[in-house]
Each structure stands twice: as C-alpha cells, then as structure tokens.
C-alpha cells in the first residue's frame, strides 16, 4: 500500500474513490484526465469486490483512493477497525494498483450539505446511499485537488 502515491496526470486512466462503510460503500470515479470527480454508485459492502472486479476489467484504473477515518484528535476513528481490513484485502486483490488514503473527516456532513444545497427534496436528502456516493466524490475531488497543486508546484 502506497500512502504517498500521487497519480500522474499524463497517464490515461481513471482514479476510483471509495467511501467504505459497514453496510454500504460509496464509489466515485475521475475522468481520464483526472480533472473531475463523478459519483459512480453505492453498492452493498458485501459485494464491493464484485463491483470493483467488473469495473477494473472494463476501465483503466490508475489508483484507488480510500477514505481514512479519523477523529478530531487526528487519530484513527472507531470506523478504522472495519476499513483497515478492507484496505489490506484491496491491496492484495489488486496488487498492481496503488492504494492512496485520504482523510475523510466531515465528508458525510459535506455530502449532506451539498445534497441540501442542490435543492433535493426531503426524501432524497435522507437517502443514505446518495450520501455515501457523494462522500466518495468529495474524497476524490479532494485528492484531485492535491494532484493539481503538486503539478502547479513543479
């Protein structure tokens, strides 16, 4: 697992972001230029590897970004006991795809706020699957901004 890996903008391939949860996992994907993040899907956590297998077979994936659950003291949160085994399995299942971890604090709140700001009706705002997918998109957009900053500093 490579935590300091930054995808290169010159390589054509997508970045997949994962907001891993006990019940549902939100998934987002970049465009091939690694400029924009798009919500892809929310899948039951039990079938996340089936989903990823199919997606990776059909698309060039350069790296996978996984949310890193932290608390307000910058320590791993309680959720880490579920995410860390997932990340280990992910790196064993896809050994040729670098795994990058991104702090996911506040992404669920940001996702909920983004859904509210979009004018979504109350029923849509309470859709937890939508929140998970938007959270994955926020995680990915944060990572894409990191890549962009690094490119500008060169």
């Amino acid at each position: 697992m490579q935590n300091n890996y930054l995808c290169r903008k010159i390589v054509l391939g997508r970045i997949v972001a994962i907001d891993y949860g006990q019940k549902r996992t939100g998934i987002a994907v970049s465009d091939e230029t690694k400029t924009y993040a798009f919500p892809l899907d929310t899948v039951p956590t039990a079938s996340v590897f089936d989903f990823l297998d199919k997606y990776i077979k059909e698309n060039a994936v350069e790296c996978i970004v996984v949310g890193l659950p932290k608390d307000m003291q910058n320590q791993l949160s309680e959720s880490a006991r579920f995410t860390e085994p997932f990340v280990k399995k992910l790196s064993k299942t896809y050994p040729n795809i670098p795994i990058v971890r991104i702090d996911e604090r506040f992404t669920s709140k940001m996702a909920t706020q983004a859904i509210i700001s979009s004018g979504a009706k109350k029923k849509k705002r309470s859709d937890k699957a939508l929140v998970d997918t938007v959270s994955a998109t926020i995680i990915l957009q944060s990572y894409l901004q990191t890549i962009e900053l690094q490119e500008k500093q060169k």
Side-chain angles (χ1 to χ4, degrees):
M1 179 172 28
Q2 299 178 12
N3 284 326
N4 295 325
Y5 180 83
L6 287 176
C7 294
R8 307 239 187 270
K9 288 197 116 180
I10 44 177
V11 177
L12 288 182
R14 298 180 188 278
I15 302 171
V16 172
I18 299 174
D19 181 30
Y20 185 82
Q22 290 179 311
K23 296 178 184 177
R24 293 170 312 281
T25 297
I27 302 173
V29 64
S30 74
D31 63 325
E32 288 184 340
T33 66
K34 297 169 198 67
T35 305
Y36 301 104
F38 301 98
L40 185 60
D41 207 348
T42 299
V43 297
T45 295
S47 61
V48 71
F49 281 99
D50 294 332
F51 181 91
L52 290 172
D53 285 344
K54 184 174 189 280
Y55 188 84
I56 290 169
K57 282 179 186 170
E58 296 172 358
N59 299 276
V61 174
E62 186 178 337
C63 71
I64 300 173
V65 177
V66 181
L68 180 63
K70 290 189 169 189
D71 61 23
M72 295 306 295
Q73 287 75 41
N74 203 30
Q75 302 296 315
L76 290 178
S77 72
E78 182 65 26
S79 300
R81 67 186 174 113
F82 303 105
T83 58
E84 296 314 298
F86 166 74
V87 171
K88 284 182 183 177
K89 183 176 179 182
L90 191 64
S91 64
K92 286 181 183 176
T93 305
Y94 309 109
N96 297 324
I97 302 175
I99 310 295
V100 180
R101 305 300 302 276
I102 293 289
D103 188 342
E104 68 175 20
R105 279 180 284 192
F106 308 116
T107 55
S108 292
K109 288 182 182 183
M110 291 166 59
T112 301
Q113 189 57 49
I115 294 166
I116 291 169
S117 296
S118 74
K121 302 287 184 209
K122 188 174 184 179
K123 183 177 181 182
K124 196 70 169 169
R125 292 190 312 242
S126 63
D127 181 356
K128 292 181 180 182
L130 177 60
V131 171
D132 292 337
T133 304
V134 174
S135 291
T137 307
I138 291 169
I139 290 167
L140 180 53
Q141 192 61 54
S142 172
Y143 181 69
L144 294 175
Q145 289 170 344
T146 301
I147 293 172
E148 189 67 31
L149 284 173
Q150 183 173 21
E151 291 289 319
K152 287 180 181 178
Q153 292 175 351
K154 286 184 178 178

